[in-house]
Amino acid sequence: MLLFLSVPQPRPPGARTRAGAARVARWRRQRLRLQQLRRLRGLLRGLRGRPGAGSRRRGRMALCGQAAGAASLPSELIVHIFSFLPAPDRLRASASCSHWRECLFYPALWPQLRICLRVSPAEQPRLEFLMRKCGWFVRELRVEFAAENYLSGGGGPGDGGGADPGTGGEEVEALQLSTRWLEVLRTYLELVLCVLVSIRNNRNLQKFSLFGDISVLQQQGSLSNTYLSKVDPDGKKIKQIQQLFEEILSNSRQLKWLSCGFMLEIVTPTSLSSLSNSIANTMEHLSLLDNNIPGNSTLITTVELERFVNLRSLALDFCDFTAEMARVLTDSNHVPLQRLSLLVHNVSVMHKSLDNMPNDEHWKALSRKSTSLRVYIMAFDIKSEDMLKILKPSIPLERIHFDSYITCVSGAIVDLISRQYDKFLTHFILMNDVIDTSGFPDLSDNRNEDPLVLLAWRCTKLSLLAIHGYTVWAHNLIAIARLRGSDLKVLEVTEESIDFDQGELADQDVDPVHNLIEQVSLGLGQPWHAVMDIESLSVFTEPNRHFYREMQSFSEDI
């Protein structure tokens, strides 16, 4: 008879029971995870280090070679690790090796893309690379185009230097400016085409925002359209851009946010008809701002607005916002509108009528429909008599921004605002870009009380006050700081706007400038100083861009 004896194999400690087997399995998994973390630590050490030439070769092997096990790391782990990096660091890391590049452009890592571009040929290759990688899947895309500078002068030395003004110097300078503008607009069209082509088939796009203020505002108007006919004489590129924009709208399946501001002739009065009814019914934000639309054309009609029943935020040219639109927004089938941004431009006022704008009863109906409705108004070079027509008492005005190149705001307008909107007003910006800084207008002239001081006294929610190009007396500035105190979070007044009484200047024992800084700082409860360099503040130098960005944050803050 044969006997078979089984010799038990040695087991790890604690494996004689099911609980012990589970502990062993957990121990093995922890050991494997520890090995992966050690490999990862070596990778990151090689990435952070900045060794010499020989060490760089070893670092490269640690990143991409088999010795450190970079190739053995699963793609899911790499994607998860680099999800903690900011976007610029991800782009740098994508240059390490092809495997990392594939992982770092995984759609989950780029749900949103925000790009601010100088309109320069040097930007085009980088934009093409980024849009080729991300354009087909990105969910939120925000692109801002802006010229490198406003091209408002002859430039530095060599730009016509030495030419006698009496013998054609002005013609030489004008020719150089024309050549530079032609190059800017040509590059601008190419960059816009690059963006639109890359997202034409993106059906995941939920938020799409374009800003393109590259025009120079002068007394004779915008220069962009003048040179646009030279860059694109037959209009083929502009037509291609318009068709691509409409194709993007027609292909969209999840779009909820559409914003287009100051883009040259991209949006047309027929663009919104490309949106399907299902998308229009779910749209939550719509912003169409363009003061270059000729004649009485509008970018959205009342009939189109009826489709946007779920709209919570709207931004339009004021002349396009009619009484009929206000009536549509108060219908029972529309959700309550919560944010309304309106651009009042002198170009629009000249070509369009203010007769169709909402009256005070329409504003009351809108406020009843939505008690949380707030309004943001940006006024470019609007006459006082037109502003008196626009500023209806029942507008729930929270922010107002005046920007003037020719027409100044009167003290009566500031006084009217402080009386009518004392319960809502939080932001007040007053900008006058005059050439002669020796003659700033004085709002308190022939008045017992300064309108700005009354504004600070009446508007108890005022948190931002910015002034340039209007005379602000030092004692009034101190009064404003004391009235609002720490509730006034931002007080920006340019140095050239501040003036002193003769009595303050005559006092030999007190430095008026030092005393002003000290008293205003004490009133606000924080250190304060006048704005010395106006170029450092976009609210003064780039009003269009500032308004567009503020409008975006104003609409997102619902």
Side-chain angles (χ1 to χ4, degrees), residues 521-548:
S521 299
L522 286 174
L524 296 176
Q526 61 179 347
W528 177 89
H529 58 83
V531 178
M532 308 295 290
D533 183 15
I534 191 175
E535 299 295 329
S536 63
L537 296 175
S538 64
V539 63
F540 295 133
T541 58
E542 299 177 279
N544 279 4
R545 180 186 295 271
H546 176 83
F547 169 65
Y548 189 77

PDB file of all heavy atoms in Angstrom, residues 521-548:
ATOM      1  N   SER A 521      -5.520 107.486   4.591  1.00  0.00           N
ATOM      2  CA  SER A 521      -5.189 106.158   5.115  1.00  0.00           C
ATOM      3  C   SER A 521      -5.894 105.903   6.439  1.00  0.00           C
ATOM      4  O   SER A 521      -6.409 104.801   6.690  1.00  0.00           O
ATOM      5  CB  SER A 521      -3.672 106.031   5.288  1.00  0.00           C
ATOM      6  OG  SER A 521      -3.009 106.173   4.054  1.00  0.00           O
ATOM      7  N   LEU A 522      -5.948 106.937   7.306  1.00  0.00           N
ATOM      8  CA  LEU A 522      -6.651 106.783   8.575  1.00  0.00           C
ATOM      9  C   LEU A 522      -8.147 106.586   8.353  1.00  0.00           C
ATOM     10  O   LEU A 522      -8.789 105.770   9.033  1.00  0.00           O
ATOM     11  CB  LEU A 522      -6.413 108.018   9.452  1.00  0.00           C
ATOM     12  CG  LEU A 522      -5.029 108.146  10.095  1.00  0.00           C
ATOM     13  CD1 LEU A 522      -4.894 109.486  10.798  1.00  0.00           C
ATOM     14  CD2 LEU A 522      -4.795 107.007  11.085  1.00  0.00           C
ATOM     15  N   GLY A 523      -8.718 107.326   7.394  1.00  0.00           N
ATOM     16  CA  GLY A 523     -10.146 107.187   7.119  1.00  0.00           C
ATOM     17  C   GLY A 523     -10.511 105.821   6.578  1.00  0.00           C
ATOM     18  O   GLY A 523     -11.529 105.237   6.966  1.00  0.00           O
ATOM     19  N   LEU A 524      -9.676 105.278   5.682  1.00  0.00           N
ATOM     20  CA  LEU A 524      -9.959 103.971   5.074  1.00  0.00           C
ATOM     21  C   LEU A 524      -9.567 102.809   5.977  1.00  0.00           C
ATOM     22  O   LEU A 524     -10.015 101.675   5.757  1.00  0.00           O
ATOM     23  CB  LEU A 524      -9.216 103.839   3.737  1.00  0.00           C
ATOM     24  CG  LEU A 524      -9.612 104.813   2.628  1.00  0.00           C
ATOM     25  CD1 LEU A 524      -8.724 104.608   1.404  1.00  0.00           C
ATOM     26  CD2 LEU A 524     -11.076 104.637   2.244  1.00  0.00           C
ATOM     27  N   GLY A 525      -8.689 103.072   6.956  1.00  0.00           N
ATOM     28  CA  GLY A 525      -8.230 101.989   7.815  1.00  0.00           C
ATOM     29  C   GLY A 525      -7.209 101.094   7.146  1.00  0.00           C
ATOM     30  O   GLY A 525      -7.014  99.954   7.582  1.00  0.00           O
ATOM     31  N   GLN A 526      -6.564 101.603   6.100  1.00  0.00           N
ATOM     32  CA  GLN A 526      -5.542 100.840   5.392  1.00  0.00           C
ATOM     33  C   GLN A 526      -4.614 101.820   4.674  1.00  0.00           C
ATOM     34  O   GLN A 526      -5.000 102.957   4.397  1.00  0.00           O
ATOM     35  CB  GLN A 526      -6.183  99.883   4.381  1.00  0.00           C
ATOM     36  CG  GLN A 526      -6.998 100.580   3.310  1.00  0.00           C
ATOM     37  CD  GLN A 526      -7.601  99.609   2.323  1.00  0.00           C
ATOM     38  OE1 GLN A 526      -7.235  98.444   2.278  1.00  0.00           O
ATOM     39  NE2 GLN A 526      -8.532 100.088   1.511  1.00  0.00           N
ATOM     40  N   PRO A 527      -3.383 101.403   4.359  1.00  0.00           N
ATOM     41  CA  PRO A 527      -2.461 102.309   3.664  1.00  0.00           C
ATOM     42  C   PRO A 527      -3.020 102.717   2.298  1.00  0.00           C
ATOM     43  O   PRO A 527      -3.573 101.899   1.567  1.00  0.00           O
ATOM     44  CB  PRO A 527      -1.181 101.472   3.518  1.00  0.00           C
ATOM     45  CG  PRO A 527      -1.278 100.426   4.574  1.00  0.00           C
ATOM     46  CD  PRO A 527      -2.736 100.131   4.735  1.00  0.00           C
ATOM     47  N   TRP A 528      -2.858 103.990   1.975  1.00  0.00           N
ATOM     48  CA  TRP A 528      -3.382 104.515   0.705  1.00  0.00           C
ATOM     49  C   TRP A 528      -2.363 105.474   0.103  1.00  0.00           C
ATOM     50  O   TRP A 528      -1.616 106.161   0.831  1.00  0.00           O
ATOM     51  CB  TRP A 528      -4.699 105.255   0.936  1.00  0.00           C
ATOM     52  CG  TRP A 528      -5.258 105.880  -0.318  1.00  0.00           C
ATOM     53  CD1 TRP A 528      -6.091 105.284  -1.214  1.00  0.00           C
ATOM     54  CD2 TRP A 528      -5.012 107.203  -0.808  1.00  0.00           C
ATOM     55  NE1 TRP A 528      -6.367 106.159  -2.243  1.00  0.00           N
ATOM     56  CE2 TRP A 528      -5.719 107.346  -2.017  1.00  0.00           C
ATOM     57  CE3 TRP A 528      -4.245 108.280  -0.355  1.00  0.00           C
ATOM     58  CZ2 TRP A 528      -5.677 108.518  -2.770  1.00  0.00           C
ATOM     59  CZ3 TRP A 528      -4.203 109.442  -1.104  1.00  0.00           C
ATOM     60  CH2 TRP A 528      -4.922 109.558  -2.297  1.00  0.00           C
ATOM     61  N   HIS A 529      -2.326 105.524  -1.221  1.00  0.00           N
ATOM     62  CA  HIS A 529      -1.534 106.533  -1.933  1.00  0.00           C
ATOM     63  C   HIS A 529      -2.181 106.770  -3.283  1.00  0.00           C
ATOM     64  O   HIS A 529      -2.894 105.907  -3.816  1.00  0.00           O
ATOM     65  CB  HIS A 529      -0.078 106.090  -2.098  1.00  0.00           C
ATOM     66  CG  HIS A 529       0.075 104.789  -2.837  1.00  0.00           C
ATOM     67  ND1 HIS A 529       0.065 104.688  -4.210  1.00  0.00           N
ATOM     68  CD2 HIS A 529       0.212 103.511  -2.375  1.00  0.00           C
ATOM     69  CE1 HIS A 529       0.199 103.425  -4.571  1.00  0.00           C
ATOM     70  NE2 HIS A 529       0.285 102.693  -3.481  1.00  0.00           N
ATOM     71  N   ALA A 530      -1.950 107.923  -3.840  1.00  0.00           N
ATOM     72  CA  ALA A 530      -2.500 108.256  -5.149  1.00  0.00           C
ATOM     73  C   ALA A 530      -1.838 107.407  -6.224  1.00  0.00           C
ATOM     74  O   ALA A 530      -0.712 106.920  -6.060  1.00  0.00           O
ATOM     75  CB  ALA A 530      -2.296 109.739  -5.442  1.00  0.00           C
ATOM     76  N   VAL A 531      -2.537 107.229  -7.333  1.00  0.00           N
ATOM     77  CA  VAL A 531      -1.997 106.464  -8.456  1.00  0.00           C
ATOM     78  C   VAL A 531      -0.972 107.324  -9.180  1.00  0.00           C
ATOM     79  O   VAL A 531      -1.302 108.372  -9.753  1.00  0.00           O
ATOM     80  CB  VAL A 531      -3.127 106.043  -9.426  1.00  0.00           C
ATOM     81  CG1 VAL A 531      -2.552 105.297 -10.612  1.00  0.00           C
ATOM     82  CG2 VAL A 531      -4.145 105.179  -8.697  1.00  0.00           C
ATOM     83  N   MET A 532       0.289 106.893  -9.132  1.00  0.00           N
ATOM     84  CA  MET A 532       1.363 107.674  -9.740  1.00  0.00           C
ATOM     85  C   MET A 532       1.515 107.376 -11.227  1.00  0.00           C
ATOM     86  O   MET A 532       1.774 108.270 -12.028  1.00  0.00           O
ATOM     87  CB  MET A 532       2.693 107.393  -9.024  1.00  0.00           C
ATOM     88  CG  MET A 532       2.614 107.553  -7.511  1.00  0.00           C
ATOM     89  SD  MET A 532       2.267 109.245  -7.010  1.00  0.00           S
ATOM     90  CE  MET A 532       3.815 110.020  -7.447  1.00  0.00           C
ATOM     91  N   ASP A 533       1.368 106.099 -11.599  1.00  0.00           N
ATOM     92  CA  ASP A 533       1.548 105.674 -12.986  1.00  0.00           C
ATOM     93  C   ASP A 533       0.223 105.176 -13.530  1.00  0.00           C
ATOM     94  O   ASP A 533      -0.230 104.083 -13.189  1.00  0.00           O
ATOM     95  CB  ASP A 533       2.616 104.573 -13.075  1.00  0.00           C
ATOM     96  CG  ASP A 533       2.887 104.140 -14.516  1.00  0.00           C
ATOM     97  OD1 ASP A 533       2.477 104.873 -15.441  1.00  0.00           O
ATOM     98  OD2 ASP A 533       3.511 103.083 -14.703  1.00  0.00           O
ATOM     99  N   ILE A 534      -0.408 105.960 -14.360  1.00  0.00           N
ATOM    100  CA  ILE A 534      -1.715 105.593 -14.906  1.00  0.00           C
ATOM    101  C   ILE A 534      -1.621 104.365 -15.793  1.00  0.00           C
ATOM    102  O   ILE A 534      -2.597 103.611 -15.953  1.00  0.00           O
ATOM    103  CB  ILE A 534      -2.319 106.787 -15.669  1.00  0.00           C
ATOM    104  CG1 ILE A 534      -3.784 106.501 -16.011  1.00  0.00           C
ATOM    105  CG2 ILE A 534      -1.527 107.102 -16.917  1.00  0.00           C
ATOM    106  CD1 ILE A 534      -4.494 107.667 -16.646  1.00  0.00           C
ATOM    107  N   GLU A 535      -0.455 104.104 -16.384  1.00  0.00           N
ATOM    108  CA  GLU A 535      -0.295 102.962 -17.281  1.00  0.00           C
ATOM    109  C   GLU A 535      -0.410 101.633 -16.545  1.00  0.00           C
ATOM    110  O   GLU A 535      -0.599 100.594 -17.169  1.00  0.00           O
ATOM    111  CB  GLU A 535       1.066 103.033 -17.990  1.00  0.00           C
ATOM    112  CG  GLU A 535       1.256 104.264 -18.856  1.00  0.00           C
ATOM    113  CD  GLU A 535       0.291 104.298 -20.031  1.00  0.00           C
ATOM    114  OE1 GLU A 535      -0.075 103.208 -20.510  1.00  0.00           O
ATOM    115  OE2 GLU A 535      -0.091 105.398 -20.456  1.00  0.00           O
ATOM    116  N   SER A 536      -0.298 101.664 -15.222  1.00  0.00           N
ATOM    117  CA  SER A 536      -0.347 100.409 -14.462  1.00  0.00           C
ATOM    118  C   SER A 536      -1.767  99.940 -14.194  1.00  0.00           C
ATOM    119  O   SER A 536      -1.964  98.833 -13.677  1.00  0.00           O
ATOM    120  CB  SER A 536       0.388 100.583 -13.126  1.00  0.00           C
ATOM    121  OG  SER A 536      -0.266 101.566 -12.322  1.00  0.00           O
ATOM    122  N   LEU A 537      -2.781 100.750 -14.524  1.00  0.00           N
ATOM    123  CA  LEU A 537      -4.167 100.396 -14.227  1.00  0.00           C
ATOM    124  C   LEU A 537      -4.948 100.247 -15.518  1.00  0.00           C
ATOM    125  O   LEU A 537      -5.111 101.202 -16.277  1.00  0.00           O
ATOM    126  CB  LEU A 537      -4.814 101.462 -13.340  1.00  0.00           C
ATOM    127  CG  LEU A 537      -4.211 101.636 -11.945  1.00  0.00           C
ATOM    128  CD1 LEU A 537      -4.854 102.797 -11.240  1.00  0.00           C
ATOM    129  CD2 LEU A 537      -4.364 100.366 -11.130  1.00  0.00           C
ATOM    130  N   SER A 538      -5.470  99.050 -15.760  1.00  0.00           N
ATOM    131  CA  SER A 538      -6.215  98.800 -16.993  1.00  0.00           C
ATOM    132  C   SER A 538      -7.529  99.556 -17.028  1.00  0.00           C
ATOM    133  O   SER A 538      -8.061  99.842 -18.100  1.00  0.00           O
ATOM    134  CB  SER A 538      -6.475  97.297 -17.156  1.00  0.00           C
ATOM    135  OG  SER A 538      -7.315  96.816 -16.113  1.00  0.00           O
ATOM    136  N   VAL A 539      -8.071  99.901 -15.856  1.00  0.00           N
ATOM    137  CA  VAL A 539      -9.336 100.623 -15.827  1.00  0.00           C
ATOM    138  C   VAL A 539      -9.195 101.990 -16.489  1.00  0.00           C
ATOM    139  O   VAL A 539     -10.145 102.531 -17.053  1.00  0.00           O
ATOM    140  CB  VAL A 539      -9.837 100.775 -14.372  1.00  0.00           C
ATOM    141  CG1 VAL A 539      -8.870 101.601 -13.545  1.00  0.00           C
ATOM    142  CG2 VAL A 539     -11.212 101.405 -14.346  1.00  0.00           C
ATOM    143  N   PHE A 540      -7.981 102.556 -16.486  1.00  0.00           N
ATOM    144  CA  PHE A 540      -7.737 103.841 -17.110  1.00  0.00           C
ATOM    145  C   PHE A 540      -7.198 103.712 -18.532  1.00  0.00           C
ATOM    146  O   PHE A 540      -7.561 104.478 -19.413  1.00  0.00           O
ATOM    147  CB  PHE A 540      -6.745 104.651 -16.269  1.00  0.00           C
ATOM    148  CG  PHE A 540      -7.258 105.022 -14.903  1.00  0.00           C
ATOM    149  CD1 PHE A 540      -6.478 104.842 -13.780  1.00  0.00           C
ATOM    150  CD2 PHE A 540      -8.536 105.530 -14.743  1.00  0.00           C
ATOM    151  CE1 PHE A 540      -6.956 105.176 -12.516  1.00  0.00           C
ATOM    152  CE2 PHE A 540      -9.018 105.867 -13.488  1.00  0.00           C
ATOM    153  CZ  PHE A 540      -8.229 105.690 -12.374  1.00  0.00           C
ATOM    154  N   THR A 541      -6.318 102.748 -18.768  1.00  0.00           N
ATOM    155  CA  THR A 541      -5.645 102.655 -20.066  1.00  0.00           C
ATOM    156  C   THR A 541      -6.379 101.771 -21.065  1.00  0.00           C
ATOM    157  O   THR A 541      -6.279 101.989 -22.267  1.00  0.00           O
ATOM    158  CB  THR A 541      -4.214 102.117 -19.873  1.00  0.00           C
ATOM    159  OG1 THR A 541      -4.285 100.834 -19.223  1.00  0.00           O
ATOM    160  CG2 THR A 541      -3.395 103.069 -19.021  1.00  0.00           C
ATOM    161  N   GLU A 542      -7.091 100.748 -20.599  1.00  0.00           N
ATOM    162  CA  GLU A 542      -7.807  99.834 -21.489  1.00  0.00           C
ATOM    163  C   GLU A 542      -9.247  99.680 -21.008  1.00  0.00           C
ATOM    164  O   GLU A 542      -9.625  98.644 -20.451  1.00  0.00           O
ATOM    165  CB  GLU A 542      -7.110  98.475 -21.534  1.00  0.00           C
ATOM    166  CG  GLU A 542      -5.687  98.519 -22.064  1.00  0.00           C
ATOM    167  CD  GLU A 542      -5.033  97.158 -22.018  1.00  0.00           C
ATOM    168  OE1 GLU A 542      -4.548  96.772 -20.939  1.00  0.00           O
ATOM    169  OE2 GLU A 542      -5.019  96.469 -23.051  1.00  0.00           O
ATOM    170  N   PRO A 543     -10.066 100.701 -21.190  1.00  0.00           N
ATOM    171  CA  PRO A 543     -11.431 100.647 -20.645  1.00  0.00           C
ATOM    172  C   PRO A 543     -12.276  99.527 -21.233  1.00  0.00           C
ATOM    173  O   PRO A 543     -13.081  98.918 -20.517  1.00  0.00           O
ATOM    174  CB  PRO A 543     -12.002 102.025 -20.995  1.00  0.00           C
ATOM    175  CG  PRO A 543     -11.145 102.537 -22.112  1.00  0.00           C
ATOM    176  CD  PRO A 543      -9.790 101.970 -21.887  1.00  0.00           C
ATOM    177  N   ASN A 544     -12.122  99.228 -22.526  1.00  0.00           N
ATOM    178  CA  ASN A 544     -12.899  98.143 -23.130  1.00  0.00           C
ATOM    179  C   ASN A 544     -12.583  96.803 -22.481  1.00  0.00           C
ATOM    180  O   ASN A 544     -13.478  96.025 -22.136  1.00  0.00           O
ATOM    181  CB  ASN A 544     -12.619  98.065 -24.627  1.00  0.00           C
ATOM    182  CG  ASN A 544     -13.425  99.085 -25.413  1.00  0.00           C
ATOM    183  OD1 ASN A 544     -14.136  99.891 -24.842  1.00  0.00           O
ATOM    184  ND2 ASN A 544     -13.290  99.054 -26.716  1.00  0.00           N
ATOM    185  N   ARG A 545     -11.283  96.525 -22.334  1.00  0.00           N
ATOM    186  CA  ARG A 545     -10.881  95.259 -21.722  1.00  0.00           C
ATOM    187  C   ARG A 545     -11.339  95.192 -20.263  1.00  0.00           C
ATOM    188  O   ARG A 545     -11.806  94.144 -19.801  1.00  0.00           O
ATOM    189  CB  ARG A 545      -9.358  95.104 -21.810  1.00  0.00           C
ATOM    190  CG  ARG A 545      -8.829  93.809 -21.191  1.00  0.00           C
ATOM    191  CD  ARG A 545      -7.315  93.811 -21.193  1.00  0.00           C
ATOM    192  NE  ARG A 545      -6.804  93.791 -22.547  1.00  0.00           N
ATOM    193  CZ  ARG A 545      -6.562  92.678 -23.229  1.00  0.00           C
ATOM    194  NH1 ARG A 545      -6.811  91.510 -22.677  1.00  0.00           N
ATOM    195  NH2 ARG A 545      -6.087  92.732 -24.446  1.00  0.00           N
ATOM    196  N   HIS A 546     -11.190  96.299 -19.559  1.00  0.00           N
ATOM    197  CA  HIS A 546     -11.630  96.309 -18.158  1.00  0.00           C
ATOM    198  C   HIS A 546     -13.128  96.053 -18.061  1.00  0.00           C
ATOM    199  O   HIS A 546     -13.564  95.250 -17.225  1.00  0.00           O
ATOM    200  CB  HIS A 546     -11.287  97.661 -17.526  1.00  0.00           C
ATOM    201  CG  HIS A 546     -11.793  97.808 -16.123  1.00  0.00           C
ATOM    202  ND1 HIS A 546     -11.109  97.304 -15.038  1.00  0.00           N
ATOM    203  CD2 HIS A 546     -12.922  98.373 -15.622  1.00  0.00           C
ATOM    204  CE1 HIS A 546     -11.788  97.559 -13.937  1.00  0.00           C
ATOM    205  NE2 HIS A 546     -12.902  98.211 -14.265  1.00  0.00           N
ATOM    206  N   PHE A 547     -13.907  96.712 -18.904  1.00  0.00           N
ATOM    207  CA  PHE A 547     -15.353  96.504 -18.870  1.00  0.00           C
ATOM    208  C   PHE A 547     -15.710  95.059 -19.206  1.00  0.00           C
ATOM    209  O   PHE A 547     -16.573  94.451 -18.548  1.00  0.00           O
ATOM    210  CB  PHE A 547     -16.040  97.450 -19.859  1.00  0.00           C
ATOM    211  CG  PHE A 547     -17.491  97.138 -20.093  1.00  0.00           C
ATOM    212  CD1 PHE A 547     -18.419  97.267 -19.073  1.00  0.00           C
ATOM    213  CD2 PHE A 547     -17.938  96.701 -21.333  1.00  0.00           C
ATOM    214  CE1 PHE A 547     -19.759  96.975 -19.277  1.00  0.00           C
ATOM    215  CE2 PHE A 547     -19.276  96.406 -21.550  1.00  0.00           C
ATOM    216  CZ  PHE A 547     -20.182  96.543 -20.516  1.00  0.00           C
ATOM    217  N   TYR A 548     -15.045  94.488 -20.203  1.00  0.00           N
ATOM    218  CA  TYR A 548     -15.365  93.114 -20.606  1.00  0.00           C
ATOM    219  C   TYR A 548     -15.054  92.135 -19.482  1.00  0.00           C
ATOM    220  O   TYR A 548     -15.861  91.243 -19.182  1.00  0.00           O
ATOM    221  CB  TYR A 548     -14.590  92.755 -21.867  1.00  0.00           C
ATOM    222  CG  TYR A 548     -15.018  91.451 -22.476  1.00  0.00           C
ATOM    223  CD1 TYR A 548     -16.185  91.360 -23.219  1.00  0.00           C
ATOM    224  CD2 TYR A 548     -14.266  90.294 -22.301  1.00  0.00           C
ATOM    225  CE1 TYR A 548     -16.599  90.156 -23.778  1.00  0.00           C
ATOM    226  CE2 TYR A 548     -14.671  89.088 -22.856  1.00  0.00           C
ATOM    227  CZ  TYR A 548     -15.830  89.030 -23.595  1.00  0.00           C
ATOM    228  OH  TYR A 548     -16.231  87.833 -24.133  1.00  0.00           O
TER     229      TYR A 548
END
